[in-house]
Amino acid sequence: MTDTFGNTLRRLRLEAGVGLRELARRIDKSAGYMSDVEQDNVPPPSEEIILTIAGVLLADRNELLRAARKMDPELSRYVAEEGRAADFLRMAKEKGFDHEDWTKLSQLAEIAKLGKKHP
Amino acid sequence: MKVPRLSKASIAAAAALLTDHYESAVNTSVAPPVPVEDLIERGLNLRLGFHDLKSRLNLNDVLGATFVEKRLIFADASLVESKSKGRLFFTLAHEAGHWMLHRAHIRRSAAGEAAHFCRVQDAKKPVEWQADYFASCLLMPEKFVCDAFQRTFGCERLSLHNVHAAYCGPLCFDPCIGTWPRIAATVMEAGGFTNVSKQAMIIRLQDIGLVRNETQTRMSWDAPRMAAF
């Protein structure tokens, strides 16, 4: 179970040693809005803002996106453009793939040397 | 809320304790400007928030709030938007003072949620005075103030006998009541106290005994006369 977006953001911000007002200033948002975000009083910001935050904090963008239950815009575009990826994900959803299934799939992809970057 | 009387020395000790704890926790040494937001977040492990408290609480003179059970400290958003940040940092340090000195009393005296709201109209109540004094000690530690003062004004304290300056030019000025903002600004610049107001500094200088007002005139802002400072 992942933590809330607000808690995750606060933890990563403190680890980065960035103040709340400083973060707000660097992403061009008000300190009041950012404190509402950290206290989960408002929904997490948009994917683009989350990526900007990750950049400012030098934090793992996937961790922040996961905590916000949002998808990396790059992945969204990829799935939209690659129809078979969408079909595969639909199938995985229908079959109810669990964590173990996804681990096995990743291992299979490694063994089969899928993808252009594999020698 | 009624609180027991606390001596200045015990309040100063509480401020020093927080600084010491923060220095150990974060493995750093604190010097002005004292990082009060980080002291609250990483030293006290409290959440920090900025809200339009005046609207949310329907109190037109509220500046800060401390929620004990939620471990939250709020400053009013108007302080964040203000050009001069001295009041913001003082309010945050003041709320940290309530946490350090009064959280047990807040918890005990709460009918509902254990919270304390700081209003301008309550400034003279003991609970607020104690938090103010804590903020003053936290943001302007005596050692650093004394060092900065001695580097600029020497080892003798300043006794201000005159209300107006005989000379007040660009290179030097005649210390008197009328030039208190420049006295405060000089110490602030020498000591790196960039997050406190001149008003807070002159009060601290008097409290430590480095500046003494020998006249009957108060050192406070008087817009028309002080505009030049």
Side-chain angles (χ1 to χ4, degrees), chain A residues 7 10 13 21 32 36 38, chain B residues 37 41 46-47 50-51:
Chain A
N7 285 341
R10 181 172 184 270
R13 178 176 63 74
R21 284 187 313 112
D36 272 339
E38 281 201 353
Chain B
E37 290 163 293
E41 289 203 291
L46 302 178
R47 281 180 174 269
F50 305 98
H51 282 306

Side-chain angles (χ1 to χ4, degrees), chain B residues 60-165:
Chain B
N60 62 4
D61 63 345
V62 67
L63 295 173
T66 297
F67 292 82
V68 176
E69 303 302 343
K70 291 180 181 167
R71 299 182 65 88
L72 257 169
I73 279 180
F74 280 116
D76 187 61
S78 64
L79 299 171
V80 181
E81 288 146 21
S82 167
K83 198 176 160 192
S84 167
K85 293 288 184 283
R87 215 165 175 208
L88 167 67
F89 295 119
F90 199 87
T91 298
L92 291 174
H94 175 104
E95 298 305 324
H98 283 312
W99 179 267
M100 291 291 288
L101 305 171
H102 306 131
R103 65 180 182 275
H105 303 284
I106 295 171
R107 203 176 271 137
R108 271 200 298 272
S109 61
E113 190 169 28
H116 182 74
F117 307 123
C118 297
R119 306 180 64 182
V120 174
Q121 69 171 31
D122 296 331
K124 291 189 174 161
K125 290 182 177 172
V127 65
E128 301 304 331
W129 175 86
Q130 289 175 7
D132 269 351
Y133 192 72
F134 179 94
S136 180
C137 295
L138 187 70
L139 294 172
M140 295 168 282
E142 185 167 341
K143 173 188 173 296
F144 290 101
V145 174
C146 289
D147 285 352
F149 181 88
Q150 283 175 11
R151 270 184 275 130
T152 48
F153 292 105
C155 294
E156 295 290 315
R157 79 171 178 209
L158 282 181
S159 288
L160 307 178
H161 295 279
N162 301 319
V163 175
H164 298 293

Side-chain angles (χ1 to χ4, degrees), chain A residues 39-54:
Chain A
Q39 287 157 40
D40 297 308
N41 290 334
V42 293
S46 68
E47 290 86 344
E48 286 73 18
I49 292 173
I50 291 174
L51 294 185
T52 308
I53 290 171

Side-chain angles (χ1 to χ4, degrees), chain B residues 7-18 101 133-134 137-138 142 204:
Chain B
S7 68
K8 283 186 172 182
S10 66
I11 297 171
L17 182 71
L18 171 54
L101 305 171
Y133 192 72
F134 179 94
C137 295
L138 187 70
E142 185 167 341
R204 184 70 171 141

